[in-house]
Amino acid sequence: MSTFIYFLCLSLLTSVSKSTIDYTSLYLSPAILFPDYQNMLISFKIYIYTPPNALSFSSPTESNFFTSLQTSPFVTQNPEEAHLYFVPFSSNLSSRSVGRLIRELRMEFPYWDRTLGADHFYVSCAGLGYESDRNLVELKKNSVQISCFPAHEGRFVPHKDITLPPLANIARASHAPGNRTAKYLGFVRYNGIKESNLVNELRSDPDFLIESEPSNGTTLVGRLGSSVFCLFEHGADVSGIGEALRFGCVPVVVMDRPMQDLPLMDVIRWQKIAIFVGSRGGVKEVKRVLDSTCKDEGCAGRKRLGVVASQHFVWNDTPQPYDSFHMVMYQLWLRRHTIRYARSEFA
């Protein structure tokens, strides 16, 4: 990307956030993010090991990431200049076969043993569990796992692993209705929350709209645009979070344990664009939290920052600046610093 385009993107991002909200920032470290992102575009190099067989993935998001990576300028054919190494394998590959793959890589190349896999990464939507095989232990413990969101419980290591932003279901060309008045306090997409006492209470409350079947793009856009909040449950279908942000529907994530697998956790301040609430207090507690959040323009602030954040939840056929692919790559870039040992130390 040219310097001109970089500064244009930076100007747009900062002007949007500053013109709408002066008291907060969407990004954890905005002064570092933008110049460091530009440095990544110029310097970051990935070496992709040749897969033993044709690859197949269980989700479109995994496939999109791998296709974008393959055709990106980050890829190098010279493994000596690489910052990180990508280990490609199919979603349906057995644990034993993955362990065998790592064993073959460490025998053929010197790079795994230099860090015991800490400068390697792989994509697995379901994630890997803990195994006794040494190769799998090192892969799980040391290498960066890129998985789908939400990650399976017990298969995600916070601060090391990364989750992929969900793939949107609404065409990017769709637009939210302008100057609309909210008809509902909260909206729950089909399968957005698991069947529970909370869902039954929400169905009985006229302030909430609960989908009983999937809606088409136009209907869904209208429902997103006419609701203040969009409710999702961690562990259910959360694929619409990016779309909720884009259409000004503040995401409300229902969970009963700490969330450590949110997409882009190294980059954005989730507490500034979303609300987190437990399910045990029922609809009364949910409404109390939502009502208290809207005091002092809290809702408006989250909506505006959410629209800015939504550009990072877009998967493009050809990756664009600051989209999902590039923000995942930036998180990998942040993990490139590892200690490398001489091969003889592990001989």
Side-chain angles (χ1 to χ4, degrees), residues 86-99:
F86 179 57
V87 182
F89 54 85
S90 296
S91 301
N92 60 359
L93 197 65
S94 67
S95 296
R96 178 176 295 183
S97 297
V98 173

Side-chain angles (χ1 to χ4, degrees), residues 49-92:
Y49 292 111
T50 302
N53 306 105
L55 297 178
S56 62
F57 297 102
S58 62
S59 77
T61 314
E62 289 175 291
S63 181
N64 280 6
F65 173 78
F66 179 65
T67 300
S68 297
L69 176 61
Q70 275 189 308
T71 57
S72 76
F74 298 116
V75 174
T76 177
Q77 301 304 316
N78 179 9
E80 292 295 334
E81 70 175 10
H83 297 92
L84 297 179
Y85 301 83
F86 179 57
V87 182
F89 54 85
S90 296
S91 301
N92 60 359

Side-chain angles (χ1 to χ4, degrees), residues 57-69 91 123-125 146-149 163-169 239 263 313-315 324-325 328:
F57 297 102
S58 62
S59 77
T61 314
E62 289 175 291
S63 181
N64 280 6
F65 173 78
F66 179 65
T67 300
S68 297
L69 176 61
S91 301
V123 174
S124 174
C125 196
I146 301 179
S147 58
C148 296
F149 174 71
T163 53
L164 296 165
L167 188 65
N169 297 314
S239 61
F313 289 79
V314 177
W315 289 96
S324 289
F325 172 71
V328 171

Side-chain angles (χ1 to χ4, degrees), residues 287-306:
K287 294 181 78 170
R288 186 195 67 78
V289 172
L290 300 187
D291 289 341
S292 64
T293 300
C294 282
K295 293 180 180 178
D296 302 321
E297 294 297 315
C299 288
R302 282 180 168 82
K303 283 176 180 286
R304 293 165 185 159
L305 280 178

